Amino acid sequence: MSVSGWDGASREILVIGAGELGMPVLRNIARRAADVPGTSVDVLLRAHTIDSTVPAKQRDVAEIRALGIGIVPGDLVENTVDDLAAIFSGYDTVIGCTGITAGLDTPMKVAQAALQAKLPRYFPWQFGVDFDVIGRGSPQDIFDSQLDVRDLLRSQDATEWVIISTGMFMNYLFEPGSGMVDLPNDTVNALGTPDTAVTVTTPEDIGALTAAILFAEPRIRNEIVYVAGDTITYSQLAEALEQGLGRSFALRVWSEPLLMAELAADPDNMTRKYRAVFAQGRGVAWGKEGTFNARHGIPTMTLREWVERNLVE
């Protein structure tokens, strides 16, 4: 769909990916689209996902079909910019939900395809931290590629863009690989200092808020929209665990110099890159009171609620 033929409403919507974030986004957009006449929702999936024999993927594909969402085969890595632009040209809105697994070059590739397709509206995969505040040259090099995408989108006015800043996925705090919460040893490892703050939001809330932002009137365009489930310090994280689980938690500090030294010894380690960035404390937290969800009275899950729902037996 060309910009010239677009009436400003997102009605022909393509979501890229159906993973940890893509599924909540699809569920919520499909739910909202049902009340908007003439709206259709499709999802771009790799062929091996569509045809997978893995039970979890089969369940997701079955749910997608049950929601009335169309499935379009495509691969962000294998397809060229021209290929992706041809797919995008049939839509007025594309929302990227693939995460970083597709590689450093993929965010720019998809953005270039969006512009080549003369896509009216584009939500890039930028669900996360405030890359502008973090700036270039941070320990996490993929953030520079995300800033390249922002520069590209800001340099033109043919395609409207919306970036949703969510902070860290809340559940990532508790994944063993992140190292921040060590439940077996009743320990919280603070990245930076005990008072370093981090904004966290559940994927389910991000899905609901993305749908609300997508269909908001007046239309949101060329804007970074901040959302938050909660903004907490690592000392508050330890307190929430102590109160929720009824036992003491030790609070250890993984200082920025320590994490930078660990990264220097293992420079390609993605987890170490993230730890070092979050330890620096820039662009990874913002007040909940100024967020889209707070301004519009949309409830989101707090950290304490997450602990009670997921960790309390």
Side-chain angles (χ1 to χ4, degrees):
M1 171 178 287
S2 67
V3 177
S4 60
W6 187 49
D7 67 0
S10 290
R11 290 197 180 91
E12 297 167 338
I13 302 161
L14 177 69
V15 175
I16 306 174
E20 182 180 17
L21 179 61
M23 286 302 296
V25 167
L26 286 164
R27 291 182 192 115
N28 283 276
I29 290 178
R31 191 175 303 126
R32 294 287 293 263
D35 297 326
V36 182
T39 300
S40 65
V41 184
D42 290 348
V43 61
L44 185 75
L45 297 178
R46 289 174 292 184
H48 67 75
T49 297
I50 300 170
D51 300 327
S52 176
T53 58
V54 177
K57 292 191 182 297
Q58 288 182 328
R59 284 194 297 271
D60 286 344
V61 169
E63 181 182 354
I64 287 166
R65 295 190 193 281
L67 287 167
I69 296 169
I71 296 178
V72 177
D75 191 312
L76 300 187
V77 176
E78 298 298 329
N79 290 150
T80 66
V81 170
D82 289 346
D83 294 335
L84 295 173
I87 294 171
F88 295 170
S89 64
Y91 299 91
D92 59 49
T93 303
V94 169
I95 303 171
C97 291
T98 53
I100 61 169
T101 56
L104 283 174
D105 298 330
T106 303
M108 178 58 73
K109 181 181 183 180
V110 179
Q112 289 169 336
L115 298 189
Q116 183 173 314
K118 300 188 181 338
L119 188 69
R121 199 178 194 205
Y122 179 47
F123 288 63
W125 167 264
Q126 300 247 334
F127 298 89
V129 295
D130 191 332
F131 306 118
D132 289 320
V133 172
I134 292 172
R136 293 185 180 276
S138 78
Q140 177 48 280
D141 48 359
I142 199 170
F143 290 177
D144 282 8
S145 67
Q146 296 287 52
L147 284 167
D148 291 341
V149 170
R150 292 191 178 194
D151 287 347
L152 177 66
L153 295 175
R154 287 165 168 157
S155 72
Q156 56 80 51
D157 56 13
T159 294
E160 295 181 3
W161 52 269
V162 181
I163 288 168
I164 304 177
S165 289
T166 65
M168 184 189 297
F169 287 5
M170 193 176 293
N171 52 295
Y172 186 67
L173 287 171
F174 303 92
E175 291 183 7
S178 80
M180 285 175 279
V181 175
D182 182 356
L183 286 172
N185 294 299
D186 295 342
T187 300
V188 170
N189 296 305
L191 305 183
T193 74
D195 296 323
T196 302
V198 59
T199 291
V200 289
T201 314
T202 67
E204 292 74 18
D205 283 339
I206 297 171
L209 292 167
T210 297
I213 291 164
L214 173 68
F215 292 111
E217 293 291 347
R219 183 170 80 256
I220 296 171
R221 49 186 164 179
N222 303 333
E223 185 178 334
I224 299 171
V225 183
Y226 294 87
V227 304
D230 215 341
T231 296
I232 49 97
T233 65
Y234 293 97
S235 62
Q236 290 171 333
L237 171 58
E239 291 169 6
L241 286 165
E242 288 182 340
Q243 293 181 10
L245 301 181
R247 61 182 194 262
S248 296
F249 272 75
L251 181 62
R252 295 194 306 180
V253 175
W254 288 353
S255 68
E256 181 186 345
L258 168 68
L259 295 173
M260 290 297 290
E262 290 182 347
L263 177 58
D266 189 6
D268 295 324
N269 187 302
M270 189 66 69
T271 299
R272 296 197 189 285
K273 292 178 184 181
Y274 276 115
R275 287 176 182 170
V277 167
F278 279 92
Q280 292 177 343
R282 294 193 309 273
V284 300
W286 43 86
K288 186 174 179 178
E289 63 279 356
T291 60
F292 176 88
N293 45 290
R295 296 196 315 271
H296 292 271
I298 301 172
T300 55
M301 184 176 292
T302 66
L303 176 71
R304 290 181 187 274
E305 290 169 341
W306 194 98
V307 169
E308 291 171 3
R309 185 170 301 185
N310 293 278
L311 300 180
V312 177
E313 296 179 355

